[in-house]
């Protein structure tokens, strides 16, 4: 990491069931972000498709694609042309009957710098991800790029301090969370506000406890439940960037937007000097963290 | 845990170098809190003394006391008389040359329900705790009381998600943080605001990631540096209580205060049903958390 200032763009968008239209809007978004001077562009979780996990339908496996494959070819070419690093999120078909929720990072040379397979898989009404995604088997390994070591995690991972910590311990210089989170329209406004605030708070805390900047890209817009069983999901947007003390540097609202934020990559060093949490971890007493419960 | 509603009081106070005066104000505070209907009373870190860790002075070991000892006798009697649970924080003399920063919890019968010795010890200019306190050797074990299992941690512990998680995994129903944190008057207002906000955020995140209510008791007031080397510490108060989604239930400002908050002890069950983080932890992939760094 030689440069201090890093310009990162988040492309926050809504998705339809028209994959080509989604891809077109992503390409346009990336081009706009590059025009804003971004060197790193982060897309929301599963940006090519509607959020198909609202129902359990075997036909939806048709939406998956191999890595490498058509999407990675297209995005890699874009990274090369625009000389940017792209963090994309794809529905990976690894083998027949074996699928993952996978981030692919492209470096400025257009090559795949690395992949991360979502480790923590949620499952609750309207978010039936355990049906679709095999939990990741690549561990918590930062992806080395020309702009630094990226600790990429995905959505549900954001609620687990273990994930952020392991990325930090492995040398991540930045934590990134492509996300697809929204409200159940059945919840009242108070509950909805609590949920969004908790989601922001917990990710700011990863920044604080690890002394790292955090970038969160969420999708936005309403998507109906194809089965008609629920009232659908209102994806709340609110993508944001915070610094290593958890200080908000930028955040969006609920509408599609492309916004660029300058992050200091050197502030981690000074913040960790005043808050040397890594110095004081009681590694001799953390063994039980590998247990499901202590009973 | 049979009852749902638990009234918890925080006695936020400032400390002088007059130990007896500090103890008197604590007793008065506890009595007032009990009169407000509190069943659980939480005191700030090292409430009997000024914050002696501003300098490294062997004479300050005279401030330490045995457990059990005079303070535990006095506080135990108070817990019995008022039929309350008290969370106190003492400078423990365990043996000649062996001292800890220790929480003692008294149950309604006046007995010591359990102790916790601060596991993570800070050390930075004005907070020379590594000089005074041997890191705790009791691990992260909740203390069983008549009102529930209390996950008591102390100050610097609050920055470590590992500590909160281990308490939750061991069955804690409530996380408690006696604290002594403040500003360096040399820092500008922006930095001071960032620090306080980070401190609140990180503890709310422990509530969220573990689905537990959190109670934080901080001291307040200015204490000068006896050595005259620094400008002293402005303890920022701002004790607070939040629920298991990190929602703030109450918080104080910078001045001495005694305030009582009703906590729902059953909300953890419902919050963990919608946010089942404990279900999805990747314990197969957390082993490296016991490493200092992964290099």
């Amino acid at each position: 990491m030689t440069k201090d200032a890093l310009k990162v763009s988040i492309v926050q968008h809504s998705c339809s069931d028209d994959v080509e239209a989604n891809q077109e809007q992503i390409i346009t978004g990336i081009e706009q972000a590059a025009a804003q001077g971004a060197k790193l562009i982060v897309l929301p979780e599963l940006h090519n498709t509607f959020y198909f996990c609202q129902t359990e339908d075997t036909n939806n496996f048709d939406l998956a694609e191999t890595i490498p494959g058509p999407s990675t070819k297209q995005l890699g070419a874009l990274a090369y042309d625009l000389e940017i690093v792209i963090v994309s999120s794809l529905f990976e078909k690894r083998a027949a009957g074996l699928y993952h929720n996978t981030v692919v990072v492209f470096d400025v040379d257009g090559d795949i710098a690395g992949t991360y397979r979502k480790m923590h898989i949620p499952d609750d009404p309207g978010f039936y991800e355990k049906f679709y995604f095999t939990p990741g088997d690549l561990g918590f390994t930062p992806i080395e790029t020309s702009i630094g070591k990226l600790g990429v995690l995905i959505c549900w991972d954001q609620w687990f301090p273990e994930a952020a910590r392991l990325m930090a311990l492995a040398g991540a210089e930045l934590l990134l969370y492509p996300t697809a989170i929204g409200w159940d329209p059945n919840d009242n406004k108070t509950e909805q506000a609590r949920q969004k605030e908790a989601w922001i708070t917990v990710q700011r805390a990863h920044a604080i406890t690890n002394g790292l900047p955090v970038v969160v890209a969420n999708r936005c817009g309403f998507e109906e439940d194809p089965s008609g069983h629920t009232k659908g999901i209102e994806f709340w947007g609110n993508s944001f960037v915070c610094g290593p003390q958890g200080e908000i540097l930028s955040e969006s609202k609920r509408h599609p937007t492309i916004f660029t934020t300058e992050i200091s990559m050197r502030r981690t060093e000074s913040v960790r000097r005043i808050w040397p949490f890594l110095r004081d971890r009681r590694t001799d007493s953390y063994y039980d963290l590998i247990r499901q419960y202590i009973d």
Side-chain angles (χ1 to χ4, degrees), chain A residues 13 50-51 54 127 179-183 218-223 233-238 254:
Chain A
H13 59 87
F50 65 101
Y51 185 69
Q54 285 203 63
F127 294 82
T179 295
I181 192 168
W183 291 301
N218 190 22
R219 70 168 65 194
C220 60
F222 174 76
E223 296 183 33
I233 303 173
E234 181 70 45
F235 293 96
W236 65 52
N238 211 101
R254 288 172 60 176

Side-chain angles (χ1 to χ4, degrees), chain A residues 3 7 18 91 135 150 175 249 277:
Chain A
K3 294 192 80 172
K7 280 194 176 176
D18 182 340
F91 182 18
L150 307 183
L175 296 173
L249 299 177
F277 308 136

Side-chain angles (χ1 to χ4, degrees), chain A residues 250-291:
Chain A
S250 63
E251 68 185 315
S252 65
K253 298 199 191 300
R254 288 172 60 176
H255 305 293
T257 178
I258 295 148
F259 64 107
T260 302
T261 310
E262 191 168 292
I263 297 174
S264 162
M265 297 297 280
R266 293 215 186 108
R267 236 170 83 69
T268 288
E269 178 67 35
S270 54
V271 167
R272 286 190 182 170
R273 285 184 190 193
I274 63 160
W275 288 346
F277 308 136
L278 294 191
R279 180 191 66 188
D280 292 335
R281 293 177 67 244
R282 289 296 302 272
T283 52
D284 60 318
S285 301
Y286 290 167
Y287 188 80
D288 281 347
L289 288 170
I290 67 168
R291 294 176 64 178

Side-chain angles (χ1 to χ4, degrees), chain A residues 17-238:
Chain A
D17 53 9
D18 182 340
V19 172
E20 273 183 39
N22 294 332
Q23 286 174 323
E24 266 171 44
Q25 101 179 322
I26 291 151
I27 292 168
T28 310
I30 291 172
E31 287 169 346
Q32 284 180 32
Q36 289 177 14
K39 292 298 165 201
L40 171 65
I41 292 168
V42 187
L43 304 173
E45 186 183 16
L46 301 169
H47 46 74
N48 277 354
T49 59
F50 65 101
Y51 185 69
F52 51 86
C53 310
Q54 285 203 63
T55 55
E56 298 196 357
D57 181 347
T58 52
N59 291 317
N60 285 335
F61 288 108
D62 288 340
L63 296 167
E65 49 185 319
T66 57
I67 295 171
S71 280
T72 64
K73 194 173 170 189
Q74 186 180 46
L75 290 165
L78 210 52
Y80 174 76
D81 286 345
L82 301 170
E83 293 183 74
I84 47 170
V85 173
I86 299 175
V87 175
S88 73
S89 165
L90 302 173
F91 182 18
E92 179 188 6
K93 180 184 171 109
R94 191 173 177 186
L98 183 59
Y99 301 84
H100 294 284
N101 185 327
T102 303
V103 156
V104 182
V105 176
F106 303 90
D107 211 334
V108 294
D109 58 7
D111 288 345
I112 292 176
T115 56
Y116 166 80
R117 294 192 178 116
K118 188 171 183 173
M119 290 288 283
H120 301 94
I121 308 294
D123 194 289
D124 54 275
F127 294 82
Y128 299 107
E129 297 200 14
K130 287 192 195 294
F131 175 76
Y132 291 102
F133 310 125
T134 296
D137 59 347
L138 296 175
F140 302 98
T141 310
I143 295 170
E144 191 114 41
T145 72
S146 58
I147 54 161
K149 285 177 94 168
L150 307 183
V152 189
L153 295 159
I154 305 172
C155 204
W156 193 236
D157 291 325
Q158 65 212 171
W159 301 97
F160 298 82
E162 292 92 343
R165 179 68 98 205
L166 285 165
M167 284 294 188
L169 292 179
E173 294 167 278
L174 193 58
L175 296 173
L176 302 153
Y177 291 94
T179 295
I181 192 168
W183 291 301
D184 176 347
N186 282 320
D187 283 332
N188 65 38
K189 292 287 171 198
T190 311
E191 173 63 18
Q192 291 187 350
R194 258 200 309 265
Q195 291 184 4
K196 194 180 81 169
E197 175 73 8
W199 172 80
I200 295 168
T201 300
V202 80
Q203 292 176 97
R204 292 175 67 195
H206 300 325
I208 297 161
T209 55
N210 296 294
L212 290 175
V214 169
V215 179
V216 182
N218 190 22
R219 70 168 65 194
C220 60
F222 174 76
E223 296 183 33
E224 64 181 10
D225 176 357
S227 74
H229 286 146
T230 74
K231 289 189 181 165
I233 303 173
E234 181 70 45
F235 293 96
W236 65 52
N238 211 101

